[in-house]
Amino acid sequence: FKQKTAYEIRLSLVGSEMCIRDRTAICSVEQGSLIYRGYEIHDLAQNATFEEVSFVLLEGRKPEPHELSRFKGEIIKERAIPGAVIDYLRASGPMLKSGTAVPMDVLRTAVSILGNLDPESQSVAADANLRKSKRLLARIPTIIGHMQNVIDGRPLVAPETGGDASLSHAANLLYLMTGTKPSPEFAHVVDVSLILYAEHDYNASTFATRVIAGTLSDMHGAVCGGIAALKGPLHGGANEAAMEMLKEIMQDVGESGIGTKKVDDWMDDAFVQKRKLMGFGHRVYKNGDHRAPILHKLGRQVAAKNTANPGGHSASKWFDLGEQVQKIMLDKKSIHPNVDFPCGLTYFTMGIPVPQYTPIFVASRITGWCAHIMEQHADNRLIRPVAQYTGPALKKWKA
């Protein structure tokens, strides 16, 4: 005991409080699996819908058919957003175009306004939290869709209803963004991506929401904190950054340079410059993110059928480039891609604007965040880590 530092002694004394949130019944992230309340991610991606996964995360169990029908109805009913939020989105156009704000900033503020307008905003009771979770799940895609229409200078799609009640959550998101009902294949790909992104235990943004909720602050405030954390390129913004990196490579080497030494040279130069190459590596998955192959396979299939030319190059060429970059990273650095890498490629070949990739992440992760906020509020202790002081030794003010 005498050999311990003061920090280690203090840590041992308060360790029970520091680690009070090291347990959760929501999600398990392991080297070989990702599990949502007992259901493995490959099983969910293949056999469930995002609405079903949302029910599992928010209500805690697999829904019976009548429960799922009720849940879908509740979400559809809440899709339309208040006029004050629509007014803000319209006013955000100049900020988005000038670059003083990006879509994640606008989304964060829109969620804050929703909180100011929600009659249950100040309650942390379990039933109120669940209702607010469903409202946020319903309305975030509507915010994203209306925002994109503002950016594109088009009329808002179905502002009175928040979309088309006949469409799934994923399909309605695409419809709100474009005004065109998506193909079943596009809707399925987005649905699976939402499932893959829905939850991931104590990542930076989820931990941020729990720290905020741990003070007994409200759900909307905690979600705003989660959005702020997810914006960063070292977290949710990695899918946007990964696609921007690939666009830079494509611009430098050209379509004819894919599959040649040009890409190797570009990557070697990036290694020499110690550039942070986004979409690779993971704090937990050292042997590869098992979500990544699921989305890569679906994206590759979409690219093979897509006759559009995103960025002036064939859709398949983007995946050719991505696969070459992945191979170089694995061969030379032994680093696997995480789910953000195929996500960027997939969304790009579908024509989804790059700045909306992370907001779409929010449209998924809102389920995990809200589940964690509810779990925190249900059995709350203030989260207060202890810092190890590294500053100067004790000094006298008057020497």
Side-chain angles (χ1 to χ4, degrees):
F1 182 82
K2 292 180 179 179
Q3 293 178 342
K4 289 185 177 181
T5 66
Y7 170 74
E8 289 171 330
I9 295 170
R10 188 179 175 207
L11 184 63
S12 67
L13 293 174
V14 301
S16 59
E17 183 170 341
M18 276 194 65
C19 300
I20 195 69
R21 283 299 151 209
D22 63 346
R23 295 182 180 182
T24 178
I26 300 167
C27 177
S28 172
V29 179
E30 303 293 342
Q31 194 64 241
S33 64
L34 170 60
I35 297 171
Y36 299 171
R37 295 197 189 275
Y39 297 99
E40 208 279 325
I41 195 64
H42 289 81
D43 186 11
L44 293 174
Q46 184 173 354
N47 299 305
T49 65
F50 178 64
E51 286 89 338
E52 290 172 317
V53 171
S54 298
F55 187 101
V56 168
L57 290 172
L58 296 179
E59 302 213 16
R61 64 188 183 278
K62 179 181 178 181
E64 296 293 336
H66 71 279
E67 291 179 313
L68 181 62
S69 178
R70 180 260 300 166
F71 183 80
K72 287 181 177 179
E74 291 171 338
I75 302 305
I76 290 170
K77 182 181 177 182
E78 296 288 354
R79 282 175 174 173
I81 58 177
V85 180
I86 291 177
D87 291 343
Y88 165 69
L89 292 174
R90 287 191 167 121
S92 72
M95 294 179 282
L96 289 164
K97 290 175 182 176
S98 69
T100 60
V102 297
M104 283 291 282
D105 300 324
V106 172
L107 177 59
R108 183 192 65 229
T109 302
V111 168
S112 185
I113 296 171
L114 285 178
N116 293 340
L117 299 172
D118 195 304
E120 298 183 289
S121 62
Q122 304 307 315
S123 175
V124 297
D127 56 348
N129 270 346
L130 181 57
R131 288 190 291 269
K132 287 185 286 185
S133 297
K134 293 173 183 177
R135 288 194 281 271
L136 284 165
L137 173 61
R139 293 174 180 177
I140 284 174
T142 311
I143 293 170
I144 296 169
H146 290 350
M147 186 197 322
Q148 188 57 45
N149 287 315
V150 168
I151 293 171
D152 293 338
R154 296 193 307 263
L156 305 188
V157 176
E160 300 82 7
T161 59
D164 187 326
S166 69
L167 295 177
S168 70
H169 199 75
N172 194 60
L173 169 59
L174 292 174
Y175 172 59
L176 287 167
M177 293 180 71
T178 65
T180 302
K181 294 181 181 179
S183 68
E185 183 178 35
F186 273 30
H188 174 65
V189 170
V190 172
D191 189 79
V192 172
S193 75
L194 296 179
I195 291 171
L196 298 178
Y197 271 130
E199 168 54 9
H200 217 237
D201 78 27
Y202 280 27
N203 55 84
S205 58
T206 299
F207 188 67
T209 67
R210 294 200 73 139
V211 171
I212 295 169
T215 69
L216 292 183
S217 188
D218 64 285
M219 175 168 282
H220 286 83
V223 168
C224 286
I227 294 172
L230 191 68
K231 173 189 173 183
L234 295 184
H235 188 16
N239 52 16
E240 296 180 28
M243 195 60 232
E244 293 298 343
M245 177 189 72
L246 289 174
K247 287 165 71 175
E248 183 181 345
I249 298 173
M250 181 72 86
Q251 181 178 359
D252 289 348
V253 307
E255 190 169 307
S256 61
I258 300 173
T260 71
K261 195 174 182 299
K262 287 185 178 181
V263 179
D264 289 81
D265 291 341
W266 194 99
M267 293 290 289
D268 285 340
D269 185 60
F271 296 149
V272 169
Q273 296 181 34
K274 300 187 183 302
R275 285 188 55 170
K276 178 72 176 176
L277 301 180
M278 307 306 296
F280 291 90
H282 197 278
R283 282 294 184 92
V284 178
Y285 302 133
K286 303 306 180 185
N287 299 320
D289 184 340
H290 28 268
R291 298 170 297 174
I294 299 172
L295 198 51
H296 185 96
K297 180 180 178 181
L298 290 173
R300 177 52 109 164
Q301 291 171 353
V302 167
K305 299 176 183 178
N306 193 350
T307 57
N309 294 300
H313 304 277
S314 70
S316 291
K317 280 294 183 181
W318 287 102
F319 269 84
D320 292 342
L321 174 60
E323 288 166 1
Q324 188 175 356
V325 170
Q326 287 180 199
K327 186 176 186 305
I328 294 169
M329 284 292 288
L330 190 58
D331 290 347
K332 296 187 177 182
K333 295 293 182 179
S334 298
I335 301 176
H336 296 265
N338 56 48
V339 70
D340 293 318
F341 194 74
C343 178
L345 277 168
T346 301
Y347 284 176
F348 189 70
T349 59
M350 294 171 63
I352 297 174
V354 174
Q356 295 291 8
Y357 292 2
T358 315
I360 293 173
F361 191 158
V362 176
S364 164
R365 185 56 61 84
I366 188 62
T367 53
W369 286 344
C370 288
H372 278 276
I373 292 166
M374 289 189 286
E375 187 177 63
Q376 182 73 37
H377 280 159
D379 182 24
N380 189 61
R381 288 281 301 276
L382 183 69
I383 299 173
R384 174 58 166 90
V386 176
Q388 182 174 8
Y389 177 66
T390 60
L394 184 64
K395 298 181 286 187
K396 293 287 187 180
W397 186 257
K398 291 186 177 181

